[in-house]
Amino acid sequence: MFSKTFWRLLRLSRQLGVRITLIAVLAIVAAGAAAVIDPLIPDRLVERLGPESVMPILDILSTSMLAVTTFSLSVMVSVHRSASSQVTPRSHRVLLEDTTTQTVLATFIGAFIFALVASILFRAGVYEGGASVVVFAVTVGVVGLVILAILRWIDHLSDLGSMDEMIRVVERRAENSLLFWRKPPHLGGSPLDDGIDAIPSDSAAVPADATGYVQFIDMAALSHAAEADDLDIYVSAPPGHFVLTDGPVAHIVGTPSDIEKTSARIAQAFTIADVRSFEQDARFGFVVLAEVATRALSPGINDQGTAIDVIGRLERLLWRFGAEVEPDEDIRHPRVWVPPTRAADLMHDAYAAIARDGAAKIEIAIRLQQALARLQKAQDTRLRTAARDMAETAHAYAEGALPLAAEREALRRMRGLG
């Protein structure tokens, strides 16, 4: 379980501007280092690789990289718009964190900046003697990196923004956040199995310092605050929960020396933003996948194959959730109590909208019943119950929406009701 600071650095590293800035700085440093290494270059290399050998390459590199970068950015914008309209608007945020696209674009821009800075330094007379040899060597390395980036970019464009790739990425992000909850359970805190209703009535509420969705909880910071003031902290707003300013994000049981200061420290452990995120929010991935399926079922798209694919992926995730947690998973923060991610909530996020919007399509209704029948055999008792309840709900939707009596009868037989 990592800290809030590490989480912020991780999120920062996934931003395109950060990678571009880092590679641009490296390019400037590489261009400037040539003047420092100049005295170490043998004269015979200086005679062979003078400025006239390097300048044409730098001119070609700067001109071509500017054009390639502009083209790549236009492709990225087009893919983002297409994915937002065809898959789900939430896919835009997933694409923004595509590390392959970010690395490729950063390489192109870094190469352009290196070539531009080196050309300026040559024409300004800063480079003398052996500096051109160093610039030539670095330029060869940069050209090699650009070639690799172009090959990687061409391969990546074949999948970038496609329906299959977006569904795979969202499923992978959903699985990661699900495992974040399961290993260790309850984010490493003590289980508050009965939810926020089990919070002691004599507890004091900790107000939120912003309005929005809880994206991240720094469990180590909460545990430290609990140990320092001899408190028990009950989380009432887990990741994905929407809170209002001054609304409760947690409750404390104990008598801290300075209640306002302690409350402020606890509130700072909660990261609140305008949108949900995948890292700790186990339910968000299910919501996004369900959105993909319901959009595919809309009359304007009518892509039932995608909906069936998503049903299977959701089934796989729920089955993974219903597996038993390994017994050696310990409670790392015993004085921080966290409500569980309930199987019924995950089941609702996954299949409720699909059951409603696909009720009039017999192939969707049957595939959904097949998935729910298998989930009723999961190890987790609560997941089995949730699957049984959702199967009844989905059947009720289908009974009211299927146009043909033969289809309704086929669905009943499939469920063993006919």
Side-chain angles (χ1 to χ4, degrees):
M1 191 65 61
F2 42 82
S3 67
K4 185 176 181 178
T5 302
F6 182 82
W7 177 74
R8 285 179 171 175
L9 291 175
L10 184 63
R11 294 293 297 273
L12 197 64
S13 69
R14 294 174 180 168
Q15 295 183 12
L16 176 60
V18 173
R19 296 193 178 212
I20 290 175
T21 301
L22 289 176
I23 293 186
V25 170
L26 289 175
I28 294 172
V29 170
V36 179
I37 305 175
D38 181 4
L40 304 177
I41 306 301
D43 293 339
R44 59 186 181 85
L45 287 179
V46 176
E47 295 175 358
R48 294 183 60 183
L49 299 174
E52 66 280 357
S53 302
V54 184
M55 285 301 298
I57 302 175
L58 293 176
D59 291 339
I60 294 172
L61 195 60
S62 60
T63 303
S64 59
M65 284 302 98
L66 181 60
V68 169
T69 301
T70 303
F71 168 76
S72 300
L73 286 173
S74 64
V75 169
M76 186 183 73
V77 172
S78 299
V79 167
H80 284 208
R81 289 179 177 174
S82 175
S84 295
S85 60
Q86 298 297 322
V87 184
T88 168
R90 256 56 60 189
S91 64
H92 173 67
R93 272 179 269 154
V94 177
L95 287 171
L96 284 176
E97 297 181 357
D98 179 16
T99 55
T100 300
T101 300
Q102 291 178 356
T103 302
V104 167
L105 289 175
T107 302
F108 293 158
I109 295 175
F112 166 73
I113 293 175
F114 166 76
L116 186 63
V117 171
S119 298
I120 292 172
L121 293 178
F122 265 118
R123 289 182 168 86
V126 176
Y127 287 154
E128 295 180 355
S132 60
V133 178
V134 178
V135 174
F136 183 86
V138 175
T139 302
V140 171
V142 170
V143 170
L145 290 175
V146 169
I147 292 173
L148 291 176
I150 291 175
L151 294 175
R152 189 180 183 188
W153 184 231
I154 292 172
D155 180 67
H156 190 57
L157 284 177
S158 61
D159 288 329
L160 184 63
S162 67
M163 181 70 74
D164 290 340
E165 176 64 14
M166 288 307 307
I167 294 175
R168 274 196 301 269
V169 171
V170 174
E171 182 188 8
R172 187 162 58 246
R173 297 293 296 273
E175 183 178 23
N176 290 339
S177 60
L178 197 63
L179 293 178
F180 203 96
W181 267 96
R182 298 291 277 175
K183 296 182 178 181
H186 307 90
L187 301 179
S190 296
L192 193 63
D193 289 331
D194 294 332
I196 60 175
D197 294 336
I199 296 176
S201 57
D202 59 345
S203 61
V206 175
D209 54 13
T211 294
Y213 292 97
V214 176
Q215 287 190 340
F216 183 82
I217 300 177
D218 190 342
M219 293 294 292
L222 290 181
S223 183
H224 179 73
E227 295 293 341
D229 288 327
D230 192 25
L231 305 171
D232 282 318
I233 300 176
Y234 294 83
V235 173
S236 56
H241 193 82
F242 188 83
V243 296
L244 300 173
T245 303
D246 296 330
V249 291
H251 291 75
I252 56 176
V253 174
T255 54
S257 55
D258 188 337
I259 183 66
E260 293 185 0
K261 183 178 179 180
T262 300
S263 295
R265 286 177 59 194
I266 293 174
Q268 288 176 0
F270 291 78
T271 300
I272 300 173
D274 294 336
V275 295
R276 298 172 72 172
S277 66
F278 287 95
E279 281 79 10
Q280 285 189 345
D281 188 354
R283 297 177 59 182
F284 185 50
F286 287 81
V287 171
V288 176
L289 282 172
E291 285 180 352
V292 175
T294 54
R295 183 176 288 262
L297 291 171
S298 64
I301 298 178
N302 197 27
D303 180 10
Q304 298 170 31
T306 294
I308 291 173
D309 180 29
V310 171
I311 290 173
R313 293 176 185 272
L314 289 168
E315 179 185 355
R316 182 161 55 217
L317 289 171
L318 287 167
W319 185 265
R320 187 78 179 269
F321 175 81
E324 291 184 357
V325 179
E326 297 178 7
D328 59 350
E329 297 290 354
D330 58 339
I331 296 176
R332 303 174 186 177
H333 311 292
R335 306 204 70 169
V336 181
W337 299 78
V338 182
T341 296
R342 298 192 307 166
D345 292 334
L346 288 177
M347 188 67 65
H348 181 273
D349 293 336
Y351 288 140
I354 299 175
R356 180 194 64 228
D357 295 344
K361 298 176 173 61
I362 184 60
E363 56 270 32
I364 300 297
I366 289 179
R367 180 65 184 88
L368 189 56
Q369 290 295 335
Q370 290 172 343
L372 292 169
R374 284 190 288 265
L375 289 173
Q376 291 178 48
K377 301 175 184 178
Q379 295 176 343
D380 192 309
T381 304
R382 290 166 295 186
L383 183 62
R384 293 201 300 268
T385 302
R388 184 175 61 252
D389 293 343
M390 181 55 65
E392 294 176 357
T393 300
H395 184 259
Y397 274 126
E399 281 282 341
L402 287 172
L404 299 179
E407 291 180 338
R408 294 193 294 272
E409 182 61 28
L411 185 62
R412 293 191 198 105
R413 288 198 303 270
M414 182 263 169
R415 294 198 65 211
L417 301 177

